[in-house]
Amino acid sequence: MTAPAPDPRRWLVLVAMTGSLSMIMLDQTVVSVALPTMARELPLTPHGQQWVVNAYVLALAALVALGGRAADLLGRPRAFRIGVSLFFLASAGCAFAWDGTSIVVFRALQGAGAALMMPVSATIVMAAFPAHERGRVMAIYAGISQVFLALGPLVGGLLTEYVTWRAVFLLNVPVGLATLALVAVARVENRPVTGARISVPDVAMVVPGLALLTLGVQQLAGWGRVALVPLAVGLGLSVWFVVRQLRSADPLIHMRLFADRGFTGDAVVMGLVQFGLLGIVLYSSIYLQELLGFGPMAAGLAALPLILPLTLAAQVGGRWFDRSGVRSPVLTGMIVCTVGVVAWLAALPALSYVLQLPGMLLVGVGLGLTLSPTNTDALGRVSDDERSQASGVVQTVRQVGGTLGVAVIGGVVLGVGPALPGRTGTAEAIASGFGVAAVAFGLAALAGAVLLSTASRPARSPDVRVR
């Protein structure tokens, strides 16, 4: 019997989901350049500026695993629409914030909306396309969104310099409305998982646990030993939650997902990549502006040697995954990425942008080959009904990894900096932070070699199409 023709509306789904993830990624970095202007107008203390960034990441990391379960309970498109609506309404609130407290509250609400959107968007894309197209389309989905992560400082700089810092947040409103319209036109099927429920005691452990764990990591450099208190409490609650899930007949999050070596390998690789990536994006922007004297717009344009190879290599990585699975593109990508970071850090003390270009190009290629295959493979290893949960677990690992990376890399840079005064000393301190990122990428290559090399390819699950 001839298979039914693919529904052409699946491309509308891809556009909508890619747009939503791009919004989330953009908002992780777009605010950094606008912060000094925001601080003068609202006004914000240095502590308040830090919380404009931290509130978003904190809410996202604490709630993203719960977002996957909410999709099972409500149905994927309904959970997604709620997340998008909350995200763009909170963005409008940020744009019209009147003081430091209001901007922090609205940023936290943005993170909560992103936590509902992020886990379900990838699963909606996976369900809309047949198995043989998934590597290619997930490369588009992941590759474009990572471009927006790196473009954040440029977009923030342009809008702050030529319009207003408030436009940084208003940008999300039309994108959110267009996303809702595309989902409505595509008519994504709403299928809640039968019998799905959310355990209040489990939520009472996992949300505060992840929130306190993230808070402790964020504040290690600023609070000193005091930060160990929320870190320890968060770790204890998280461990207790994991034990409860392993013993539960109906767990909130299925920890048995990690019984699959391939899924575990994908999650570890993505967590380690995010650990190094956010630190590199943050400190390369600081390096260009503070040490080389680039303006916000010039600093954003200077990131193109990282962005363009990432975009192109993501398409290669997706097609490579379709042909041969996850192991080859990921191992190649992580090795290339590690070599690129080492070359990049070696060029930093010379205070020359041109000397950094080879390292930037290699890192972009390596990230592009790695990101979409790992995400696609992780979600391809579970049944359609478990994909929202699996996506939530993977995104939690990524967010915690990124938060930990910024804290650890920042601690290394700040710790080395005072011992090496002057511009060259500051460049060497940032190079030390890049060295930590290189170690993370090297560990990701090792984890991929150990876990993915022995994992079987995921079974092809039945195609579930847009209706």
Side-chain angles (χ1 to χ4, degrees), residues 221-245:
W223 291 358
R225 292 182 180 179
V226 176
L228 296 177
V229 175
L231 192 62
V233 175
L235 183 61
L237 285 172
S238 299
V239 171
W240 187 15
F241 171 78
V242 170
V243 171
R244 275 181 58 92
Q245 300 312 288

Side-chain angles (χ1 to χ4, degrees), residues 232-289:
V233 175
L235 183 61
L237 285 172
S238 299
V239 171
W240 187 15
F241 171 78
V242 170
V243 171
R244 275 181 58 92
Q245 300 312 288
L246 292 173
R247 294 176 177 176
S248 174
D250 183 23
L252 181 67
I253 297 174
H254 290 289
M255 293 299 169
R256 61 182 176 79
L257 292 170
F258 290 102
D260 184 324
R261 291 173 65 91
F263 182 88
T264 301
D266 292 326
V268 169
V269 168
M270 283 189 278
L272 288 169
V273 167
Q274 201 76 356
F275 179 102
L277 177 59
L278 285 186
I280 285 175
V281 170
L282 174 62
Y283 282 99
S284 63
S285 178
I286 291 173
Y287 176 96
L288 291 170
Q289 294 184 65

